[in-house]
Amino acid sequence: MKKILSFMDWGIFALRLYHYILLLSQALAASGFSNRTLFNVIWLSIALIIPLLFWFPGRRMNKVWFCLLELLLGGSYYVYSVIHPDLTSKADYLLPSLTMGYLLTKRSLWIVPVVASIPFSYQSSLRLSWEQTLSIGTDNLLFCFIGMWASFVAHAYDQKNKLVIEVEQQNKLLTHYTAEIEKMTLLEERNRMSKELHDTLGHSFISLILSLDASIALMDSKPAEAKDRLIRVRTLAEGNLDEMRNIVHEMGEEEESSLIRQIESLADRFREHTGVALTLSLPETERSIHFEVRQAVLRVIQESFTNALKHGKASQLHLELRFSESNLQLSVRNNGQPIDKLNYGFGLTTMTHRVERLGGSLHLSSGEGTPAITEVRCEIPLKGVIPHEEN
């Protein structure tokens, strides 16, 4: 199915080639070699070769000029051979009509009535009846329509195949996108909950400890026993506080993880789900950055990957991450289709606002070239960070 157009092109090409080889063999098989025989062979050779300069399967696709030259050279020889009854190289004009029907375009629709009217050019010379002439013209027209039908079927199969490939690609992209959304949403929720626990339960435990300290100091009756009980309560409260801190630490574990490792993990999952060639250029050292900055960078990368595959049909992507003294710089380039008109959709607009809230900037550029490159550039300032070696 994938090569149906190529298969049909070569099939039509072979039928037309058979038509002219048959005529050439008939001309060469004529008894006695004469100037007329040589003239016919040259005419047929020209009618075979010249149109192929404008249409040849997989190479040249100027269909209008091909049909025009086919009519002028092949059609004129057909009429010439019919008018001369002693000519041995005779054949109908069905296969050329089929070829022109197959290559028909909106600019060459005029070929249809011309093909049907060819028999009328020699009707008077052969004194054919209207019924005979109309029958020959109808045969030519029928084969022209058969060629049009073959072209329609081939293009329909080709479009179906392209749609199937695009749907498969979109499904892979959707799977990857859903997985990334789920993971990043979970990270954001865990980060929010860990901060909430720290701000609420943590302060509650501290208040409890301070209250118990005050009670210990103010106890008058049975001071020894009360003090012993309160000390145990205080010890229990301290244990609860330590346990809460451990829970918060576990829930916020992702907040302290490496951005480089997260990018590598995202890239691995993207390759696995889409099969697209993706290369990374990452620094050996990394800066400790805030959770919000890391999430913004990951969102930009995810949106860039998604757009490159969905809209640009890219087959190769390259991601580069750099840390300067004061900035984080991200670049995602792809070889997809160039963007005629830069249009920031919902995804890119959201990412731009997210980056700008952090004091950064996001830019999208696309231009013609060999190959054409589309690039998303992101720059976010880093404040109060300390370089550290990646573990």
Side-chain angles (χ1 to χ4, degrees):
M1 183 184 296
K2 185 177 180 180
K3 299 182 179 179
I4 185 67
L5 269 178
S6 177
F7 174 79
M8 292 296 293
D9 284 355
W10 282 104
I12 297 296
F13 175 84
L15 289 175
R16 179 180 181 272
L17 184 63
Y18 165 78
H19 171 81
Y20 282 101
I21 289 178
L22 178 63
L23 293 179
L24 282 169
S25 63
Q26 291 175 352
L28 292 172
S31 57
F33 187 80
S34 63
N35 290 334
R36 184 176 179 179
T37 301
L38 179 62
F39 174 75
N40 292 336
V41 170
I42 293 175
W43 192 345
L44 285 171
S45 299
I46 292 175
L48 168 64
I49 296 173
I50 296 300
L52 295 181
L53 297 177
F54 296 91
W55 177 76
F56 193 89
R59 295 182 180 274
R60 293 175 287 274
M61 296 300 293
N62 194 328
K63 300 177 181 180
V64 176
W65 273 98
F66 172 88
C67 293
L68 179 61
L69 291 171
E70 171 60 46
L71 280 173
L72 291 175
L73 300 173
S76 60
Y77 184 86
Y78 165 68
V79 174
Y80 166 75
S81 66
V82 172
I83 294 176
H84 292 77
D86 58 330
L87 196 64
T88 58
S89 54
K90 293 180 179 295
D92 51 41
Y93 203 60
L94 300 181
L95 293 180
S97 298
L98 183 144
T99 304
M100 288 185 287
Y102 179 77
L103 299 176
L104 203 64
T105 65
K106 291 182 179 180
R107 295 177 55 193
S108 57
L109 285 174
W110 52 269
I111 289 174
V112 176
V114 172
V115 167
S117 61
I118 287 178
F120 293 92
S121 63
Y122 55 78
Q123 179 189 20
S124 58
S125 299
L126 300 182
R127 298 180 180 179
L128 298 176
S129 64
W130 282 100
E131 290 79 5
Q132 291 175 309
T133 306
L134 188 60
S135 175
I136 298 174
T138 302
D139 289 342
N140 290 345
L141 190 62
L142 175 62
F143 269 73
C144 185
F145 280 122
I146 291 175
M148 294 167 61
W149 173 81
S151 176
F152 174 79
V153 171
H155 281 86
Y157 270 96
D158 184 66
Q159 289 299 319
K160 179 182 178 182
N161 183 61
K162 289 180 179 178
L163 286 175
V164 169
I165 294 175
E166 184 174 354
V167 168
E168 290 178 352
Q169 188 180 55
Q170 294 299 325
N171 284 339
K172 290 180 180 179
L173 187 60
L174 181 61
T175 301
H176 168 74
Y177 192 79
T178 303
E180 291 303 318
I181 286 291
E182 182 179 353
K183 181 181 177 182
M184 300 189 78
T185 302
L186 178 61
L187 292 180
E188 289 181 349
E189 182 62 17
R190 290 177 66 178
N191 182 69
R192 185 190 67 80
M193 290 183 64
S194 65
K195 289 182 177 179
E196 246 183 57
L197 282 173
H198 183 272
D199 294 340
T200 56
L201 291 180
H203 289 297
S204 298
F205 275 103
I206 292 173
S207 299
L208 176 61
I209 293 171
L210 293 175
S211 298
L212 290 173
D213 284 340
S215 299
I216 292 172
L218 295 174
M219 290 298 293
D220 293 327
S221 60
K222 298 182 180 180
E225 181 180 350
K227 187 174 182 179
D228 183 63
R229 288 177 180 272
L230 288 174
I231 289 174
R232 289 198 300 270
V233 172
R234 187 181 186 281
T235 303
L236 178 62
E238 285 181 326
N240 289 339
L241 179 60
D242 291 338
E243 184 178 356
M244 183 274 295
R245 283 174 174 167
N246 289 335
I247 294 174
V248 171
H249 177 73
E250 291 175 0
M251 293 182 64
E253 188 178 24
E254 289 291 342
E255 186 174 351
E256 303 301 327
S257 64
S258 165
L259 173 61
I260 292 178
R261 285 196 294 268
Q262 287 184 288
I263 292 176
E264 290 173 341
S265 176
L266 189 152
D268 290 338
R269 292 192 298 272
F270 184 79
R271 294 189 191 101
E272 179 183 354
H273 285 107
T274 64
V276 174
L278 170 60
T279 56
L280 302 177
S281 178
L282 303 175
E284 295 182 359
T285 59
E286 179 181 345
R287 290 177 177 267
S288 177
I289 60 179
H290 295 297
F291 177 82
E292 291 79 6
V293 174
R294 185 167 64 255
Q295 289 298 96
V297 171
L298 293 174
R299 291 285 193 181
V300 170
I301 293 174
Q302 181 185 359
E303 186 68 23
S304 301
F305 286 177
T306 300
N307 289 341
L309 196 60
K310 181 179 179 181
H311 301 298
K313 304 295 185 289
S315 61
Q316 294 180 347
L317 290 93
H318 177 73
L319 182 150
E320 182 178 1
L321 178 69
R322 290 183 296 171
F323 290 98
S324 66
E325 290 296 327
S326 58
N327 293 310
L328 176 152
Q329 298 168 354
L330 172 71
S331 170
V332 181
R333 297 188 293 272
N334 70 79
N335 67 341
Q337 300 173 1
I339 303 173
D340 296 331
K341 183 179 180 181
L342 296 181
N343 183 19
Y344 282 70
F346 176 77
L348 279 175
T349 301
T350 302
M351 293 304 99
T352 301
H353 292 164
R354 180 189 288 263
V355 171
E356 289 176 349
R357 281 199 300 270
L358 298 172
S361 60
L362 181 73
H363 301 285
L364 172 64
S365 62
S366 180
E368 299 287 347
T370 308
I373 297 297
T374 299
E375 181 180 16
V376 177
R377 298 188 309 279
C378 173
E379 186 171 318
I380 301 176
L382 302 176
K383 300 177 182 178
V385 296
I386 303 175
H388 70 275
E389 294 292 334
E390 184 182 359
N391 296 329

